[in-house]
């Protein structure tokens, strides 16, 4: 296959929500009136962001999921994506499985692929995604307020445990637990519906890609506030929870969770509890925003917990 045959066969599909999709020098989209346009890019590099033996289908899923997670963090509805691939070779079976995984998730969220690029090189996957929020309503990192509750979705630490075990084999992990951790690592669930539902309810939000403490820290810096995070409240897998202290860094700073961390006023607690029920998505209150501009991780008797790892490093 040459480049154009590859694109036509595996990555050209009807773009229902675009004026013009793949096939021309540029795509044409028509943003909704009275909405703000959101644009985000993520790149995945073999050996840095995923293991060489991950299944192509799972990799296709994750390539889009990490971008959908960015849209979710701002409460945006995703619509369009541009996909660029550097491939060591044009392996038809690999590309077919990758595109199946990618488009299955795209169809689930109503996302159209409207362009991109392919080239030969070390396996590298890049997506630029576009979404919308009603004008002025986006969730942002700079809007947390002192007194806000801090919430997280899902359970943290599973993906990080899978990575650590693959790299170092430090723990004797039951097979069923390792399977759940690997699933979380390779096929994260982007919380798009949750993000949209938090518009008008939460003050600020971020997706947890580099670890809770690191990502929450971005909210604190942008909002010029601090936080007290309650270690025992941070949701995780029951197997990790049994020895929570031993896995403190994995739970709080491991990364690759792709859950949402958000802040909201006390008055929103009942609505957030109802939202968790409606979406079948666990939402846990894990701390509070404070005026004092630092971040503290404390145990149940308010003693500080020290962690040496501040989060995932990209370099």
């Amino acid at each position: 296959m040459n480049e154009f045959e590859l694109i036509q066969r595996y990555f050209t599909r009807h773009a229902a929500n675009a004026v013009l999709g793949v096939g021309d020098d540029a795509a044409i989209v028509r943003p909704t009136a009275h909405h703000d346009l959101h644009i985000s890019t993520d790149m995945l590099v073999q050996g840095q962001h995923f293991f060489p033996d991950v299944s192509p289908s799972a990799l296709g899923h994750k390539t889009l999921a990490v971008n959908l997670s960015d849209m979710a963090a701002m409460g945006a509805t995703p619509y369009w994506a541009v996909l660029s691939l550097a491939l060591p070779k044009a392996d038809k079976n690999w590309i077919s499985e990758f595109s199946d995984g990618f488009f299955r998730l795209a169809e689930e969220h109503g996302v159209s692929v409207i362009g991109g690029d392919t080239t030969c090189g070390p396996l590298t996957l890049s997506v630029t995604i576009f979404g919308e929020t009603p004008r002025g309503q986006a969730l942002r990192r700079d809007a947390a307020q002192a007194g806000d509750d801090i919430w997280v979705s899902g359970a943290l630490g599973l993906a990080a445990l899978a990575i650590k075990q693959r790299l170092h084999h430090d723990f004797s992990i039951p097979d069923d637990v390792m399977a759940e951790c690997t699933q979380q690592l390779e096929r994260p669930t982007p919380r798009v519906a949750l993000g949209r539902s938090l518009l008008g309810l939460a003050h600020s939000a971020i997706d947890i890609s580099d670890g809770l403490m690191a990502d929450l820290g971005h909210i604190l810096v942008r909002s010029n506030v601090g936080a007290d995070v309650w270690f025992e409240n941070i949701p995780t897998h029951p197997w990790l929870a049994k020895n929570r202290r031993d896995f403190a860094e994995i739970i709080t700073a491991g990364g690759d969770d792709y859950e949402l961390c958000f802040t909201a006023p006390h008055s929103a607690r009942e609505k957030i509890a109802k939202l968790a029920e409606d979406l079948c998505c666990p939402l846990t209150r894990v701390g509070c925003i404070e005026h004092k501009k630092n971040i503290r991780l404390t145990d149940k008797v308010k003693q500080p917990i020290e962690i040496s790892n501040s989060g995932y490093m990209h370099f």
Side-chain angles (χ1 to χ4, degrees), residues 88-118:
K89 60 180 179 178
D91 181 328
K92 294 180 181 180
N93 291 332
W94 191 97
I95 295 168
S96 177
E97 290 184 36
F98 174 89
S99 65
D100 284 347
F102 187 98
F103 280 105
R104 190 176 300 116
L105 188 61
E107 290 165 6
E108 180 181 334
H109 290 278
V111 173
S112 294
V113 173
I114 58 172
D117 195 17
T118 59

Side-chain angles (χ1 to χ4, degrees), residues 3-70:
E3 177 185 9
F4 302 105
E5 291 171 335
L6 186 155
I7 293 170
Q8 178 62 38
R9 181 169 180 178
Y10 295 106
F11 297 104
T12 301
R13 305 197 183 188
H14 176 60
N17 50 15
V19 178
L20 180 64
V22 175
D24 218 305
D25 289 299
I28 303 174
V29 298
R30 188 166 294 145
T32 307
H34 309 296
H35 281 64
D36 292 325
L37 185 65
H38 294 249
I39 306 166
S40 180
T41 297
D42 263 302
M43 183 183 298
L44 300 181
V45 179
Q46 181 174 291
Q48 181 74 2
H49 300 100
F50 59 90
F51 292 105
D53 60 353
V54 65
S55 78
S57 176
L59 189 55
H61 174 101
K62 187 168 184 176
T63 299
L64 181 59
V66 300
N67 287 268
L68 289 170
S69 187
D70 286 330

Side-chain angles (χ1 to χ4, degrees), residues 12-243:
T12 301
R13 305 197 183 188
H14 176 60
N17 50 15
V19 178
L20 180 64
V22 175
D24 218 305
D25 289 299
I28 303 174
V29 298
R30 188 166 294 145
T32 307
H34 309 296
H35 281 64
D36 292 325
L37 185 65
H38 294 249
I39 306 166
S40 180
T41 297
D42 263 302
M43 183 183 298
L44 300 181
V45 179
Q46 181 174 291
Q48 181 74 2
H49 300 100
F50 59 90
F51 292 105
D53 60 353
V54 65
S55 78
S57 176
L59 189 55
H61 174 101
K62 187 168 184 176
T63 299
L64 181 59
V66 300
N67 287 268
L68 289 170
S69 187
D70 286 330
M71 293 290 105
M74 302 197 78
T77 300
Y79 285 117
W80 311 286
V82 174
L83 171 64
S84 295
L85 308 172
L87 302 170
K89 60 180 179 178
D91 181 328
K92 294 180 181 180
N93 291 332
W94 191 97
I95 295 168
S96 177
E97 290 184 36
F98 174 89
S99 65
D100 284 347
F102 187 98
F103 280 105
R104 190 176 300 116
L105 188 61
E107 290 165 6
E108 180 181 334
H109 290 278
V111 173
S112 294
V113 173
I114 58 172
D117 195 17
T118 59
T119 189
C120 183
L123 185 56
T124 305
L125 316 162
S126 179
V127 170
T128 298
I129 195 164
F130 303 79
E132 295 179 339
T133 54
R135 186 173 297 171
Q137 293 187 28
L139 299 171
R140 296 169 43 152
R141 299 179 184 182
D142 61 1
Q145 300 178 21
D148 277 359
D149 295 322
I150 302 169
W151 298 81
V152 296
S153 65
L156 307 187
L158 283 73
L161 180 61
I163 294 171
K164 190 170 181 65
Q165 185 69 356
R166 284 288 305 268
L167 292 175
H168 305 294
H169 302 285
D170 289 344
F171 313 107
S172 178
I173 303 175
D175 290 344
D176 60 332
V177 175
M178 189 61 186
E180 289 183 63
C181 293
T182 301
Q183 175 75 8
Q184 181 66 22
L185 172 65
E186 296 182 353
R187 295 182 182 270
T189 300
R191 302 296 189 179
V192 175
L194 172 61
R196 286 200 300 261
S197 299
L198 289 173
L199 292 179
L201 190 62
H203 285 154
S204 66
I206 192 170
D207 79 320
I208 306 172
S209 55
D210 298 333
L212 173 61
M213 298 300 283
D215 289 315
L216 175 59
H218 297 314
I219 289 180
L220 304 183
V221 170
R222 293 295 302 276
S223 298
N224 203 29
V225 291
D228 184 11
V229 180
W230 311 322
F231 178 61
E232 273 79 14
N233 285 42
I234 299 173
T236 189
H237 190 281
W239 189 84
L240 284 164
K242 288 179 183 177
N243 298 285

